[in-house]
Amino acid sequence: MQTVVSGIRPTGNLHLGNYFGAVKNFLRMQDEYNCYFFIADYHSLTTHPTPQDLHNNVRQVLAEYLACGLDPEKSTIYIQSDVPAIAELSMLLGMNAYLGELERTTSFKDKARKQPNNVNAGLLTYPVLMAADILIHKADKVPVGKDQEQNLEMTRKFAGRFNHMYKQEYFKIPQSFNYGEALVKIPGLDGSGKMGKSEGNGIYLIDEPKPLQKKVMRAVTDSGPTEPNSPITEPIQNLFTLMEVVSTPDTLQYFKDKYASCEIRYGDLKKQLAEDINKFTTPIREKIVSIREDEEYLRKVVKMGREKAQESAAQTVEEVRQIIGLKRF
Ligand code: TRP
């Protein structure tokens, strides 16, 4: 069975775009692959979170992914820093990563621009640590969005360089992962574009009913159809797209018909949409809260993941040490 590795940054909360995108893919992958999903807490240190924030964020994302259905019985779910062998592999790979190529990555340049007073070494070597994350389990596939493709390319480069240097095909060259068919792209509420954290247009799984309703009621619309069967404009199509994933087909059809006959009232549409989103997210939200408070369960999940991940990591690092010549006396 092929191996999939994916890292999750412990920042922010899951929104509907994440849910119907990355998370849905994870749920499918865990049935089809040998999956390692980890919370990338080492990586998040580049922005200097406070200890309390860091811990709370790790707990929160872990609870959110578990509430969404990530299953510790099917996948290896762990905290990156629980597996220090990753740091060792990163250090070893770093010996063959060059300053120039690290400086040239777009993510480094972006971050250096965004945090000019904190251009630290961790930011520069981010792709090296990410390569270690992936290579430590000899991943075949890595699900990555557009923004991570360059980092994955660096992983391939480092893996290939290692193989070349030590004259053996030790590391597999990981491929980016994509389920063939396109996922429904979840739009934001601001008229155009997709839902995103940085866009500030997200509907979060943890949003409480009242603020959620407020957000939806403020969604951008237009001045309404003026003649029967006029084409659907983008802001309205976006609301329909959201309905497609949370409402019943009948509800969606009802509002589409109203639109076609120019009788639609956007207030009603939004009210229904808010209600249906709420109906969809409430059970997940309740689960997030109960998991987040369940120390015993979290400890059990994390321990299970740690043990499985450490085993796989220890084997790789031992082999790499041998190959490099760090032989034990
Ligand atoms: N860099 C990824 C992100 O920002 C997170 C990540 C860290 C990752 N290590 C990884 C993703 C390894 C896939 C594989 O989203």
Side-chain angles (χ1 to χ4, degrees), residues 6 8 26 30 35-39 61-63 65-66 69-80 82-83 297-298 300-309:
S6 191
I8 301 162
F26 280 9
Q30 66 179 357
C35 293
Y36 292 89
F37 299 122
F38 67 93
I39 316 258
V61 288
L62 181 61
Y65 276 85
L66 292 169
L70 222 63
D71 184 346
E73 302 286 341
K74 295 181 184 167
S75 308
T76 305
I77 302 168
Y78 65 100
I79 315 291
Q80 184 187 31
D82 269 344
V83 187
Y297 176 67
L298 286 175
K300 194 179 112 199
V301 167
V302 165
K303 179 166 182 270
M304 251 171 84
R306 177 173 63 228
E307 286 169 358
K308 283 198 276 176

Side-chain angles (χ1 to χ4, degrees), residues 179-286:
Y179 276 116
E181 75 270 28
L183 290 164
V184 190
K185 285 254 184 316
I186 303 299
L189 297 172
D190 43 2
S192 67
K194 64 173 194 168
M195 188 176 289
K197 189 174 96 174
S198 42
E199 286 78 3
N201 60 8
I203 301 168
Y204 291 86
L205 297 176
I206 52 153
D207 282 346
E208 296 286 337
K210 273 265 149 358
L212 188 151
Q213 197 196 16
K214 260 193 170 156
K215 271 187 197 175
V216 176
M217 295 311 287
R218 278 202 309 263
V220 173
T221 52
D222 59 17
S223 51
T226 48
E227 50 188 282
N229 300 313
S230 37
I232 303 176
T233 62
E234 193 180 0
I236 308 308
Q237 179 51 50
N238 287 349
L239 299 182
F240 284 154
T241 302
L242 285 164
M243 265 198 160
E244 235 166 76
V245 294
V246 295
S247 305
T248 65
D250 287 353
T251 303
L252 177 64
Q253 197 53 50
Y254 173 85
F255 285 100
K256 282 196 161 167
D257 291 345
K258 289 281 177 200
Y259 187 93
S261 60
C262 301
E263 293 170 305
I264 192 157
R265 295 213 309 242
Y266 291 147
D268 295 345
L269 170 70
K270 292 177 181 179
K271 216 171 136 222
Q272 182 71 45
L273 179 60
E275 215 170 276
D276 291 345
I277 292 175
N278 188 44
K279 216 180 281 165
F280 180 82
T281 55
T282 292
I284 305 175
R285 181 169 61 248
E286 288 171 353

Side-chain angles (χ1 to χ4, degrees), residues 1-2 39 50-51 61 90 110 129-130 168 182 207 219 241 261-262 264 296 301 329:
M1 199 195 285
Q2 290 201 317
I39 316 258
T50 66
V61 288
S90 175
D110 277 357
L129 180 56
M130 183 159 158
Q168 51 181 296
D207 282 346
T241 302
S261 60
C262 301
I264 192 157
E296 200 181 314
V301 167
F329 284 91

Side-chain angles (χ1 to χ4, degrees), residues 5-9 26 36 38-40 43 80 111 126 129-134 141-145 147-148 151-152 155:
V5 172
S6 191
I8 301 162
R9 266 172 300 167
F26 280 9
Y36 292 89
F38 67 93
I39 316 258
H43 281 282
Q80 184 187 31
K111 287 190 190 140
Y126 190 107
L129 180 56
M130 183 159 158
D133 292 330
I134 296 167
K141 292 195 159 90
V142 182
V144 289
D147 63 323
Q148 296 297 314
N151 280 336
L152 185 60
T155 298

Side-chain angles (χ1 to χ4, degrees), residues 8 13-30 37 61 64-70 179 183 205 284:
I8 301 162
N13 302 101
L14 289 170
H15 53 63
L16 288 180
N18 300 132
Y19 185 87
F20 290 104
V23 177
K24 212 169 153 193
N25 272 345
F26 280 9
L27 298 187
R28 184 162 162 196
M29 281 174 215
Q30 66 179 357
F37 299 122
V61 288
E64 294 202 3
Y65 276 85
L66 292 169
C68 288
L70 222 63
Y179 276 116
L183 290 164
L205 297 176
I284 305 175

